[in-house]
Amino acid sequence: MKLYNSVGPNPHIVRMFAAELGISLDLVEIDLRAGENRQPEFLARNPAGQLPALELASGEVITEVTAVCEYLDELSDSSLIGDTSTERAQTRMWTRRLDLSICEPMLNGFRFAEGLPIFQDRMITIPEAAPGLKKIAQDRLAWLDEQMADRREFIVGSRFTLADVFFYCMLTFGNRVGQPLSSEHARVTAWYERIASRPSAVA
């Protein structure tokens, strides 16, 4: 399988997820900064122009990070989604919560501010919204910190899951683009450090 790869948190999620499952992927680098993902050759594979994209041996292409991870999960003898319907629902619930309430405002806060030179000609940007979006992300991080007061080891409790991979990669990106994880969020910070120590984190 080929993974069309680039800088950014979403490809990192798939690389880390695959590494945790012991799945090897052939990486094909796409220059996101130069807009290679918006050229006809790449758009023929993914009309949305987004990365990553997983190309199967059949030539079929799967995109959207959670869909790619779930596909890889089904290929593995072990699961980072869950072994039961309840476990799978919990993993998807927390991944969705983190994506919508923290990661999406954080990413748009970047796109509308530090990333504006890259994104202003590629999508609708609202620079005046950036401070508010970043504030929303920080507020929801404080909420998550409270949720982890029961000393849970991972996002979903005692299981390491897609939610941990997803959120770790997103926060790592935030740390690099002007939205560092505050030490005020002590429980989330301790969780982050635990995940950072996993070999897969550098994938």
Short mmCIF file of all heavy atoms in Angstrom, two decimals, residues 47-70:
data_model
loop_
_atom_site.label_atom_id
_atom_site.label_comp_id
_atom_site.label_asym_id
_atom_site.label_seq_id
_atom_site.Cartn_x
_atom_site.Cartn_y
_atom_site.Cartn_z
N PRO A 47 -10.05 13.94 -5.18
CA PRO A 47 -10.62 15.20 -5.67
C PRO A 47 -10.70 16.29 -4.60
O PRO A 47 -10.77 17.47 -4.93
CB PRO A 47 -12.03 14.79 -6.13
CG PRO A 47 -11.93 13.32 -6.40
CD PRO A 47 -10.94 12.79 -5.40
N ALA A 48 -10.67 15.88 -3.31
CA ALA A 48 -10.70 16.88 -2.24
C ALA A 48 -9.35 17.56 -2.06
O ALA A 48 -9.25 18.58 -1.38
CB ALA A 48 -11.13 16.23 -0.92
N GLY A 49 -8.30 16.99 -2.65
CA GLY A 49 -6.98 17.61 -2.58
C GLY A 49 -6.35 17.55 -1.21
O GLY A 49 -5.47 18.35 -0.90
N GLN A 50 -6.79 16.61 -0.39
CA GLN A 50 -6.29 16.54 0.98
C GLN A 50 -5.33 15.37 1.17
O GLN A 50 -5.33 14.41 0.40
CB GLN A 50 -7.47 16.40 1.94
CG GLN A 50 -8.42 17.57 1.91
CD GLN A 50 -9.72 17.28 2.64
OE1 GLN A 50 -10.12 16.13 2.82
NE2 GLN A 50 -10.39 18.33 3.09
N LEU A 51 -4.54 15.47 2.21
CA LEU A 51 -3.60 14.42 2.58
C LEU A 51 -3.87 14.00 4.02
O LEU A 51 -4.32 14.81 4.82
CB LEU A 51 -2.17 14.93 2.43
CG LEU A 51 -1.75 15.14 0.97
CD1 LEU A 51 -0.71 16.23 0.86
CD2 LEU A 51 -1.25 13.83 0.38
N PRO A 52 -3.62 12.71 4.31
CA PRO A 52 -3.02 11.68 3.47
C PRO A 52 -4.06 11.01 2.58
O PRO A 52 -5.27 11.22 2.72
CB PRO A 52 -2.49 10.68 4.49
CG PRO A 52 -3.51 10.75 5.59
CD PRO A 52 -3.90 12.20 5.67
N ALA A 53 -3.56 10.16 1.67
CA ALA A 53 -4.41 9.31 0.85
C ALA A 53 -3.73 7.95 0.77
O ALA A 53 -2.53 7.88 0.54
CB ALA A 53 -4.58 9.91 -0.54
N LEU A 54 -4.50 6.90 0.99
CA LEU A 54 -3.97 5.54 0.98
C LEU A 54 -4.38 4.86 -0.32
O LEU A 54 -5.57 4.71 -0.59
CB LEU A 54 -4.50 4.75 2.17
CG LEU A 54 -3.98 3.32 2.32
CD1 LEU A 54 -2.50 3.33 2.72
CD2 LEU A 54 -4.80 2.55 3.36
N GLU A 55 -3.39 4.47 -1.12
CA GLU A 55 -3.66 3.78 -2.39
C GLU A 55 -3.44 2.29 -2.19
O GLU A 55 -2.34 1.85 -1.82
CB GLU A 55 -2.75 4.32 -3.49
CG GLU A 55 -3.07 3.76 -4.86
CD GLU A 55 -2.26 4.43 -5.96
OE1 GLU A 55 -1.10 4.01 -6.17
OE2 GLU A 55 -2.77 5.39 -6.55
N LEU A 56 -4.47 1.50 -2.47
CA LEU A 56 -4.40 0.06 -2.31
C LEU A 56 -3.77 -0.58 -3.54
O LEU A 56 -3.61 0.06 -4.58
CB LEU A 56 -5.80 -0.49 -2.08
CG LEU A 56 -6.65 0.20 -1.01
CD1 LEU A 56 -7.97 -0.53 -0.84
CD2 LEU A 56 -5.90 0.30 0.31
N ALA A 57 -3.43 -1.85 -3.42
CA ALA A 57 -2.84 -2.58 -4.54
C ALA A 57 -3.78 -2.60 -5.74
O ALA A 57 -3.33 -2.65 -6.89
CB ALA A 57 -2.50 -4.00 -4.11
N SER A 58 -5.08 -2.53 -5.48
CA SER A 58 -6.08 -2.53 -6.54
C SER A 58 -6.14 -1.20 -7.29
O SER A 58 -6.77 -1.09 -8.34
CB SER A 58 -7.46 -2.82 -5.96
OG SER A 58 -7.85 -1.78 -5.06
N GLY A 59 -5.49 -0.18 -6.74
CA GLY A 59 -5.55 1.16 -7.32
C GLY A 59 -6.60 2.03 -6.67
O GLY A 59 -6.64 3.24 -6.89
N GLU A 60 -7.46 1.42 -5.86
CA GLU A 60 -8.48 2.20 -5.16
C GLU A 60 -7.82 3.07 -4.10
O GLU A 60 -6.82 2.69 -3.50
CB GLU A 60 -9.50 1.28 -4.51
CG GLU A 60 -10.69 2.01 -3.90
CD GLU A 60 -11.79 1.05 -3.46
OE1 GLU A 60 -11.65 -0.17 -3.68
OE2 GLU A 60 -12.78 1.54 -2.89
N VAL A 61 -8.37 4.28 -3.88
CA VAL A 61 -7.79 5.23 -2.94
C VAL A 61 -8.77 5.51 -1.81
O VAL A 61 -9.95 5.77 -2.05
CB VAL A 61 -7.41 6.55 -3.66
CG1 VAL A 61 -6.88 7.57 -2.66
CG2 VAL A 61 -6.36 6.28 -4.74
N ILE A 62 -8.27 5.45 -0.59
CA ILE A 62 -9.06 5.76 0.60
C ILE A 62 -8.50 7.04 1.22
O ILE A 62 -7.28 7.16 1.41
CB ILE A 62 -9.02 4.62 1.62
CG1 ILE A 62 -9.58 3.34 1.00
CG2 ILE A 62 -9.81 4.97 2.88
CD1 ILE A 62 -9.42 2.13 1.88
N THR A 63 -9.37 7.97 1.51
CA THR A 63 -8.96 9.22 2.14
C THR A 63 -9.79 9.46 3.41
O THR A 63 -10.66 8.65 3.73
CB THR A 63 -9.14 10.41 1.18
OG1 THR A 63 -10.53 10.57 0.88
CG2 THR A 63 -8.36 10.19 -0.11
N GLU A 64 -9.52 10.55 4.10
CA GLU A 64 -10.09 10.91 5.40
C GLU A 64 -9.40 10.06 6.47
O GLU A 64 -9.48 8.84 6.46
CB GLU A 64 -11.60 10.75 5.47
CG GLU A 64 -12.36 11.52 4.41
CD GLU A 64 -12.09 13.03 4.45
OE1 GLU A 64 -11.77 13.57 5.54
OE2 GLU A 64 -12.20 13.67 3.38
N VAL A 65 -8.75 10.74 7.38
CA VAL A 65 -7.81 10.08 8.29
C VAL A 65 -8.45 8.98 9.13
O VAL A 65 -7.88 7.89 9.30
CB VAL A 65 -7.09 11.13 9.17
CG1 VAL A 65 -8.06 11.83 10.10
CG2 VAL A 65 -5.95 10.51 9.94
N THR A 66 -9.64 9.19 9.65
CA THR A 66 -10.25 8.15 10.47
C THR A 66 -10.66 6.95 9.62
O THR A 66 -10.55 5.80 10.07
CB THR A 66 -11.46 8.68 11.26
OG1 THR A 66 -12.37 9.32 10.36
CG2 THR A 66 -11.02 9.67 12.32
N ALA A 67 -11.11 7.19 8.39
CA ALA A 67 -11.46 6.09 7.49
C ALA A 67 -10.22 5.26 7.15
O ALA A 67 -10.27 4.02 7.13
CB ALA A 67 -12.11 6.62 6.22
N VAL A 68 -9.11 5.92 6.89
CA VAL A 68 -7.86 5.22 6.59
C VAL A 68 -7.42 4.39 7.79
O VAL A 68 -7.05 3.21 7.65
CB VAL A 68 -6.75 6.21 6.18
CG1 VAL A 68 -5.41 5.49 6.06
CG2 VAL A 68 -7.09 6.91 4.87
N CYS A 69 -7.48 4.97 8.98
CA CYS A 69 -7.07 4.24 10.18
C CYS A 69 -7.98 3.05 10.44
O CYS A 69 -7.51 1.97 10.81
CB CYS A 69 -7.05 5.17 11.38
SG CYS A 69 -5.68 6.37 11.37
N GLU A 70 -9.27 3.23 10.26
CA GLU A 70 -10.18 2.10 10.48
C GLU A 70 -9.93 0.99 9.46
O GLU A 70 -10.03 -0.20 9.79
CB GLU A 70 -11.62 2.57 10.45
CG GLU A 70 -11.96 3.48 11.62
CD GLU A 70 -13.38 3.30 12.14
OE1 GLU A 70 -14.01 2.27 11.82
OE2 GLU A 70 -13.84 4.18 12.89
#
